[in-house]
Amino acid sequence: MKRETLDMHASRYAVGLMSGTSVDGIDAAVVRIADGPGGEIAVSLIAFENRPYPAAVRQEIFELFDPVKATIDKVGSMNVLLGELYAEAALAVIKAAGLEPADIAVVGSHGQTIYHAPAAEKRHGHDIRYTVQIGEGSVIAARTGIPCVSDFRPADMAAGGQGAPLVPFTEYLLYREASRTLLLQNIGGIGNMTVIPAGCAPEDVYAFDTGPGNMIIDGVVERLYPGQLTMDIGGAIAGRGTVDEELLGFLAKEPYYAQPLPKSTGRELFGSAYIERLLGIAAQKGMKPEDVVATVTKLTAWSIGDAYRRYVQGRTPADVLIVGGGGSYNPVLVGFLRSEMESMGVEVLTQEEVGYSSDAKEAVAFAILADYAIKRKPNNLPNVTGAARPVIMGKISY
């Protein structure tokens, strides 16, 4: 996309806010969006900040992942509290960009997912799909004075989709190439892959959740090193361990990996109960903590390679996989991933190696999704989510 073809007079600033399944904190990005003559856009990252959740807030969010503990008063209270925290993050990143709130056209907030149930459940004669993201958009709008688009997923689910993944819409806009087929692999709490065939149209893009990203790694580390660590920083623990092939083979039999597309997953499958079962097996085998961490790190890499073999390789063989998200900063995980993919002729690069930011990628995506919503333009990819038609996702708080 050539910058000189863009109408810079039609440019505007937007803020994107993202809080993922790892519950590490709030990612906030300020971007400048400029329009091109053919409907294309160019996006420039102006500022980015990550604001970790206070430890007590993080703990309270984790309690809400358990439906038994997620009473309506706790969900309602946290919904408003997160709105306050997201508003603070938005104002801080706007200041870091050297801008004022009045300069920003829109804030897009993903919110914090506490439950996601994309499979249709028959209730009283209706197919019910539902999802719960909290972080009140009206609070964000009130505190910042900027229109806020939030709660993106339900519109897609109302049209029969999974409400996920959403980022492929923006990946198509920003990454597509004429001559190379690209895989965009995000490794957050959950791993998700977007396939962008060379020279493709929007309807040719497909994407899905590959399985666990950092979620199992983080959960295992937090339990094996209580009060000391919540993640394997830089892959230091996995780097000292040895992969247990027997345990890896057992974990690889999880039925999710063989489910047909479209598909998405989350903490409902790969959360606390899964981790407790996994650690029980490891204890019976007498495994060392570092070997457990190495094995689940390899599982994430294996699941990405397995997904490529199952769903992509025979359909649209890829040239390059671009990896982003927190997992891209784990050199052991990236090394395992390179071993998986490069044996199949797919080069593995990080977002930074292609000039983007792993940290900011999803926050940037929600700024773009909000920009489309505020203009009443469809912002989902039905082929990706399984929705019956394009829809405008997001609820607007003025």
Side-chain angles (χ1 to χ4, degrees):
M1 191 179 299
K2 295 182 179 179
R3 186 170 295 277
E4 59 266 25
T5 66
L6 300 171
D7 180 4
M8 300 309 289
H9 296 291
S11 69
R12 59 268 179 207
Y13 293 108
V15 169
L17 302 172
M18 177 68 194
S19 177
T21 49
S22 294
V23 200
D24 296 325
I26 306 162
D27 293 334
V30 175
V31 300
R32 185 177 187 183
I33 303 173
D35 295 319
E40 72 270 26
I41 61 171
V43 178
S44 303
L45 179 63
I46 306 301
F48 173 78
E49 287 192 350
N50 173 271
R51 294 168 70 89
Y53 283 125
V57 172
R58 186 172 188 264
Q59 181 59 42
E60 289 176 24
I61 293 170
F62 268 94
E63 290 180 2
L64 299 183
F65 296 146
D66 181 350
V68 175
K69 297 179 181 177
T71 56
I72 196 67
D73 56 326
K74 291 179 180 177
V75 173
S77 174
M78 184 59 72
N79 180 50
V80 174
L81 174 59
L82 289 182
E84 298 284 1
L85 296 179
Y86 293 163
E88 290 173 1
L91 291 171
V93 78
I94 292 167
K95 184 176 180 180
L99 299 171
E100 299 292 333
D103 298 321
I104 308 298
V106 66
V107 173
S109 177
H110 169 270
Q112 180 65 58
T113 301
I114 60 172
Y115 205 85
H116 185 63
E121 174 187 350
K122 188 69 75 174
R123 288 182 61 84
H124 302 289
H126 296 275
D127 286 335
I128 302 300
R129 297 173 174 85
Y130 63 99
T131 188
V132 183
Q133 277 73 227
I134 57 174
E136 182 55 53
S138 60
V139 173
I140 300 170
R143 301 295 175 265
T144 62
I146 305 166
C148 178
V149 184
S150 60
D151 207 13
F152 288 84
R153 299 186 191 278
D156 182 86
M157 298 177 83
Q162 298 245 324
L166 302 187
V167 173
F169 178 84
T170 62
E171 290 173 326
Y172 169 76
L173 295 175
L174 299 180
Y175 291 86
R176 69 186 186 272
E177 294 186 8
S179 59
R180 294 195 303 175
T181 293
L182 304 181
L183 308 175
L184 279 295
Q185 179 69 43
N186 183 66
I187 306 178
I190 292 295
N192 38 69
M193 178 184 290
T194 303
V195 185
I196 307 178
C200 69
E203 57 269 21
D204 299 322
V205 176
Y206 58 106
F208 53 94
D209 287 351
T210 51
N214 300 313
M215 183 177 291
I216 297 176
I217 303 170
D218 292 350
V220 163
V221 168
E222 202 160 14
R223 285 163 178 78
L224 293 175
Y225 301 88
Q228 301 175 55
L229 295 168
T230 59
M231 65 183 71
D232 184 13
I233 301 169
I237 301 171
R240 299 195 302 268
T242 301
V243 173
D244 186 295
E245 296 294 341
E246 183 183 30
L247 178 58
L248 178 64
F250 174 78
L251 297 175
K253 294 177 182 177
E254 162 57 47
Y256 176 79
Y257 301 124
Q259 282 182 16
L261 304 185
K263 63 177 183 175
S264 59
T265 189
R267 195 171 291 279
E268 298 74 33
L269 177 57
F270 294 110
S272 295
Y274 180 99
I275 291 164
E276 295 301 336
R277 289 195 302 271
L278 185 162
L279 289 175
I281 296 168
Q284 290 176 358
K285 291 172 60 66
M287 290 177 63
K288 298 177 182 177
E290 59 266 30
D291 295 344
V292 179
V293 178
T295 302
V296 297
T297 302
K298 180 64 178 289
L299 176 68
T300 291
W302 170 86
S303 67
I304 295 166
D306 178 70
Y308 177 70
R309 286 185 289 270
R310 285 182 193 269
Y311 306 111
V312 183
Q313 190 175 27
R315 178 176 171 185
T316 47
D319 299 290
V320 179
L321 181 147
I322 303 171
V323 59
S328 69
Y329 297 116
N330 182 331
V332 176
L333 176 52
V334 174
F336 284 150
L337 186 57
R338 285 201 165 101
S339 296
E340 283 283 335
M341 301 305 298
E342 292 180 355
S343 65
M344 295 182 281
V346 181
E347 183 182 11
V348 174
L349 299 171
T350 66
Q351 287 285 335
E352 282 69 21
E353 288 173 321
V354 297
Y356 288 91
S357 166
S358 291
D359 283 337
K361 180 173 177 285
E362 290 194 300
V364 168
F366 281 92
I368 299 169
L369 290 170
D371 182 70
Y372 269 67
I374 206 82
K375 292 181 171 182
R376 299 187 180 186
K377 295 168 64 176
N379 54 2
N380 70 329
L381 288 178
N383 191 51
V384 168
T385 65
R389 62 186 181 277
V391 297
I392 302 168
M393 299 186 301
K395 299 173 183 177
I396 303 174
S397 302
Y398 289 99

